[in-house]
Amino acid sequence: MAIQLTPDLEARVEKLATLLGMNGNGSRTAVLERAIAALEEQTPQPHGLTPDAIGALLNQFGNNADLIAAELADDPELDHDKPLSQALQDVIYDEHGLPK
């Protein structure tokens, strides 16, 4: 999603850069990157059970469900009351069936 930089928005970003002591070329980009980094630090990070991690497990254990289940036995993100395939799908897809 592209954000149109209106003169008002540019002035606000420039003011923020000045207040943070960032001057010169690239100050607007730097202030936005600093804000993004600060927000990312505040955002809770997933425990590691991501679609990529699931793919790595599938590659590592050759689609052997027993080995994958054993590897994920203590994972708090996984619903252990569901069959493994359904629990993994819940991690990969949202409630609308779209990839997370």
Side-chain angles (χ1 to χ4, degrees):
M1 177 167 114
I3 296 176
Q4 183 178 359
L5 292 179
T6 62
D8 181 54
L9 182 56
E10 282 194 46
R12 289 177 183 197
V13 171
E14 193 67 40
K15 181 177 181 179
L16 183 57
T18 301
L19 291 171
L20 292 172
M22 299 177 170
N23 305 346
N25 291 340
S27 63
R28 287 180 274 173
T29 300
V31 75
L32 292 174
E33 288 174 355
R34 183 172 174 180
I36 290 168
L39 289 172
E40 286 176 342
E41 287 178 13
Q42 296 173 12
T43 304
Q45 298 301 313
H47 297 291
L49 191 58
T50 64
D52 289 338
I54 292 170
L57 285 172
L58 291 172
N59 288 332
Q60 179 181 354
F61 295 116
N63 297 332
N64 185 319
D66 292 334
L67 292 175
I68 294 169
E71 184 72 21
L72 298 174
D74 297 330
D75 195 298
E77 290 184 60
L78 209 57
D79 186 347
H80 296 284
D81 294 330
K82 292 183 177 181
L84 180 61
S85 62
Q86 181 61 49
L88 292 176
Q89 286 181 26
D90 290 348
V91 172
I92 297 172
Y93 302 105
D94 68 12
E95 63 275 6
H96 304 291
L98 299 173
K100 290 184 179 178

